[in-house]
Amino acid sequence: MSRRFQKHTRRNTRDLGGTWDFAFLGDAIADEVDVERIVFDDRMIVPGCFDATPRYAGRRGLAAYRTQITLDGERRARLVVDGAHHYATFVLDGGRIAAHSGGFTSFRLDLPRSTPGEHVLVILVDNRFDEERSPLHLEYFDWFHYGGLTRGVALEELTDASIDTCEIRTLSFRHRRIRLELGVSAMRDESVALTVSLLGRTLLSEQVTLSAGATRITRELELAETELWSPAAPNLYSLHVTLGDDDFIERFGVREIAVEGQRLLLNSEPVTLRGVNRHEAHPTFGHAVPPAVQLADLELLASLGGNFVRGSHYPQDPQFLDLCDELGVLVLSEAIAWQQTEAHLTSEAFLSAQETHIDEMIGMSFNHPSVVVWGLLNESCSTTERGRSGYARLIERIRMRDPSRPVTYASNQPHGDICFDLADIVCVNTYPGWYFGEIESVAAYLDELVTLLERRAPGKPILIGEIGAGGIYGWHDHNQQRWTEEFQETLLDRALGQLVSDPRVLGVAIWQLTDCRTSERVQNALGRPRGYNNKGLYDEYRRPKLATRAVKKHFTRE
Ligand code: ADA
């Protein structure tokens, strides 16, 4: 797995990243393809987006990836996939073993017991829009859905008793008390040794009795001599857990996040959020943004004086979260959605796909101290009772899975929204001076908006989830009209001049860090010059626009 820090010393793991055999099968259907007869006439890099490469740019259809894996035949084998878009079918030695719907999240897949030696793994990946098969990826969304094996793929061989999940939650930052929760699977009843160590010291060593099937092991520990994690001092530690012949090394930070009235508290200290929305996208790499570009994105954010990323509109790469942990950046991790309708929010297929996605998002992000808020259902139908039932169900799902972080959703209906009470933080996306109103009245509008939100959602923190204007990189004009860099700079100067100095506002996430390609759908492209959403502070190659000056001015203001 292409993680930058090791997860296991005892478990046999292999990073399957690298060059795979590849075939683009166009209109073929995954369930009908004779996998043995596929002619692999090309190669593809994993992780990567095949439809971001020059040869397959913008192509939609079925793609086949093939690699060889070696299994020892004794231990259970498992694939860990960090992202496959949008629909993946797994085939081992010609036999279909499983399928997975939805990109942007990590999932595990147990392989059937096999003979020792070489085996052929084929993954059929379909990037076509198909609401039945991939209900979370819809063509009308305002971003380009790339396809492929977009994040890491790893093979693990597991002993009879193994640790499936390892979650660490701070119970009390003052006492450095944490709760460790292990999800364990065992093939038979057995007694095994459990140890937990930190900084070379053994914190726990005992014998545990496992019964065949899944077990949860929960322990509370006090971690004396640890320093807290915060943006100013992002201290990180690695907990090493061993269970029999298996182990797990998990990095985490000791920190507590809480909402108190209109404030967001980190270790009891109020924080303000000054940041950007970020799509995981680049013209050369699609969604498979390499770590060097992820780091560059965070350096750009730091150069603006920002401390916050809203991962719009889907969970960001765990490698990016690693960097946020290290750099002390605060993250809103959002489940995938974009302007879902009442029909979506009452569809069992949509809601249960969301629940699976939410579980996967929380599973992959749980131990990242940088993730401080969960988000969902961007700009969806929050104005009707039927829409509200969908919000209520999914917010409940998040809270059940992780009550330790506040939940929010970005609304674009400040007047008509009827779900604000369901969220811990009220979040509104707004585009004064761009989609409505004049640039001169941006500040006054924002002042009124915050007054309205205080009235409609009393006592809750207020976050501006999006605000911005389109500016085409390099476009200047004496009139300084829409699409010039100057217009974008002026609008953001006025908006931030108001928001950053308003004590009622918890924070702001500018739309957006970099330009990104929009959907190929004609209606989308017509309103988006170049086929891009041009509201980036930087263009898609990370070149700065004039607007960065305004942002820096306000974000670095005391
Ligand atoms: C919405 C949406 C963003 C983007 C933005 C825009 O608020 O949430 O994804 O589409 O509008 O640029 O219009």
Side-chain angles (χ1 to χ4, degrees):
M1 185 70 74
S2 48
R3 298 259 164 82
R4 291 180 315 109
F5 58 95
Q6 207 176 355
K7 288 237 161 198
H8 309 275
T9 56
R10 298 187 176 184
R11 186 182 297 183
N12 218 5
T13 61
R14 255 157 293 150
D15 183 348
L16 298 182
T19 309
W20 289 42
D21 301 325
F22 181 82
F24 183 66
L25 307 176
D27 293 340
I29 308 290
D31 290 343
E32 294 167 5
V33 166
D34 182 349
V35 176
E36 310 277 346
R37 300 182 65 147
I38 295 174
V39 179
F40 287 88
D41 56 355
D42 209 342
R43 62 191 58 77
M44 197 56 65
I45 301 297
V46 175
C49 293
F50 69 85
D51 50 5
T53 67
R55 187 157 182 196
Y56 305 102
R59 303 284 294 277
R60 296 216 175 266
L62 190 68
Y65 288 73
R66 181 177 69 184
T67 194
Q68 297 238 321
I69 55 175
T70 311
L71 301 175
D72 74 3
E74 277 174 26
R75 283 173 291 184
R76 292 178 289 144
R78 170 179 288 172
L79 286 179
V80 182
V81 182
D82 275 347
H85 294 243
H86 315 148
Y87 188 83
T89 307
F90 294 81
V91 185
L92 187 68
D93 300 324
R96 285 168 173 71
I97 53 174
H100 181 268
S101 176
F104 298 119
T105 48
S106 308
F107 57 96
R108 299 187 305 261
L109 190 79
D110 289 330
L111 300 181
R113 289 267 183 195
S114 303
T115 50
E118 295 272 296
H119 295 269
V120 180
L121 172 68
V122 172
I123 308 181
L124 300 168
V125 185
D126 201 326
N127 69 345
R128 278 170 289 194
F129 294 104
D130 178 333
E131 190 154 354
E132 253 172 53
R133 216 177 34 193
S134 312
L136 303 183
H137 295 270
L138 304 179
E139 192 181 5
Y140 73 84
F141 293 179
D142 183 18
W143 75 82
F144 192 90
H145 280 79
Y146 294 94
L149 297 175
T150 55
R151 294 177 181 170
V153 183
L155 176 68
E156 301 187 343
E157 285 179 304
L158 304 166
T159 46
D160 279 355
S162 67
I163 304 168
D164 291 339
T165 56
C166 171
E167 293 183 347
I168 303 160
R169 173 177 308 173
T170 305
L171 295 179
S172 160
F173 78 91
R174 283 207 177 83
H175 300 104
R176 310 292 197 265
R177 190 176 322 121
I178 60 147
R179 191 166 75 197
L180 169 68
E181 184 160 329
L182 303 175
V184 165
S185 56
M187 300 310 285
R188 54 193 160 81
D189 297 355
E190 65 175 312
S191 167
V192 289
L194 169 71
T195 69
V196 180
S197 52
L198 183 88
L199 300 168
R201 273 186 296 122
T202 305
L203 304 176
L204 187 147
S205 175
E206 60 183 64
Q207 205 63 20
V208 289
T209 307
L210 305 176
S211 1
T215 317
R216 294 222 156 261
I217 299 177
T218 306
R219 297 286 181 273
E220 289 189 16
L221 300 164
E222 275 189 23
L223 309 179
E225 291 171 39
T226 48
E227 303 288 336
L228 298 176
W229 184 95
S230 71
N235 294 299
L236 295 167
Y237 297 93
S238 289
L239 204 68
H240 192 182
V241 183
T242 69
L243 183 81
D245 294 327
D246 194 33
D247 74 337
F248 221 101
I249 299 168
E250 196 58 14
R251 198 172 69 166
F252 69 103
V254 182
R255 64 106 185 87
E256 238 178 286
I257 191 86
V259 166
E260 192 186 84
Q262 284 193 297
R263 301 187 308 171
L264 183 66
L265 304 179
L266 184 87
N267 305 331
S268 278
E269 296 290 327
V271 285
T272 46
L273 306 177
R274 294 179 179 177
V276 293
N277 283 271
R278 177 177 184 269
H279 265 293
E280 191 100 54
H282 187 287
T284 313
F285 309 107
H287 295 315
V289 175
V293 179
Q294 294 174 340
L295 179 59
D297 285 355
L298 289 170
E299 283 168 355
L300 297 177
L301 175 70
S303 75
L304 299 173
N307 66 354
F308 173 57
V309 172
R310 173 175 177 233
S312 51
H313 298 294
Y314 40 75
Q316 311 274 292
D317 189 332
Q319 289 196 135
F320 178 76
L321 298 180
D322 283 346
L323 293 169
C324 293
D325 292 344
E326 290 165 19
L327 298 171
V329 171
L330 303 170
V331 177
L332 185 163
S333 179
E334 185 165 275
I336 188 171
W338 201 85
Q339 297 188 359
Q340 310 296 155
T341 62
E342 187 180 88
H344 295 134
L345 291 176
T346 49
S347 143
E348 186 51 40
F350 175 79
L351 292 169
S352 57
Q354 278 285 338
E355 286 176 338
T356 304
H357 173 84
I358 283 170
D359 291 349
E360 290 174 347
M361 169 178 82
I362 295 179
M364 71 196 244
S365 327
F366 197 93
N367 297 326
H368 287 280
S370 56
V371 175
V372 290
V373 182
W374 299 121
L376 76 167
L377 294 176
N378 174 62
E379 296 189 347
S380 298
C381 176
S382 53
T383 51
T384 69
E385 282 302 332
R386 283 159 62 79
R388 181 182 161 95
S389 68
Y391 273 87
R393 172 165 157 184
L394 297 181
I395 290 174
E396 176 60 24
R397 182 70 168 212
I398 295 180
R399 290 218 175 97
M400 256 170 47
R401 188 63 185 76
D402 177 21
S404 74
R405 292 168 169 100
V407 185
T408 192
Y409 64 88
S411 170
N412 60 356
Q413 302 292 329
H415 293 274
D417 196 297
I418 59 163
C419 301
F420 286 149
D421 61 307
L422 298 174
D424 300 304
I425 296 172
V426 170
C427 178
V428 163
N429 298 343
T430 185
Y431 287 87
W434 184 255
Y435 290 128
F436 62 88
E438 297 304 322
I439 199 163
E440 290 73 27
S441 44
V442 165
Y445 172 82
L446 290 170
D447 185 34
E448 280 166 30
L449 174 68
V450 174
T451 305
L452 172 81
L453 294 175
E454 278 203 314
R455 186 161 48 74
R456 298 214 55 229
K460 299 209 184 226
I462 296 170
L463 175 65
I464 301 300
E466 294 179 22
I467 191 154
I472 295 174
Y473 178 76
W475 182 247
H476 305 278
D477 180 271
H478 290 298
N479 291 13
Q480 304 198 348
Q481 285 292 357
R482 278 179 168 69
W483 302 117
T484 62
E485 286 195 34
E486 286 81 0
F487 184 91
Q488 184 191 24
E489 181 186 23
T490 307
L491 190 146
L492 279 171
D493 187 32
R494 294 185 183 188
L496 296 179
Q498 172 65 28
L499 292 172
V500 169
S501 56
D502 187 337
R504 301 170 297 173
V505 175
L506 164 66
V508 53
I510 295 165
W511 185 267
Q512 58 178 336
L513 180 64
T514 70
D515 292 347
C516 70
R517 193 187 296 281
T518 187
S519 157
E520 62 265 53
R521 212 171 64 127
V522 176
Q523 292 98 307
N524 293 50
L526 285 177
R528 300 267 182 264
R530 312 185 302 132
Y532 272 74
N533 186 314
N534 295 294
K535 299 187 192 75
L537 301 172
Y538 300 85
D539 79 350
E540 62 275 23
Y541 295 104
R542 280 60 182 166
R543 295 178 296 186
K545 303 183 197 169
L546 292 180
T548 53
R549 299 191 302 204
V551 176
K552 188 171 178 179
K553 176 174 117 189
H554 294 291
F555 279 4
T556 54
R557 181 148 52 96
E558 281 312 308

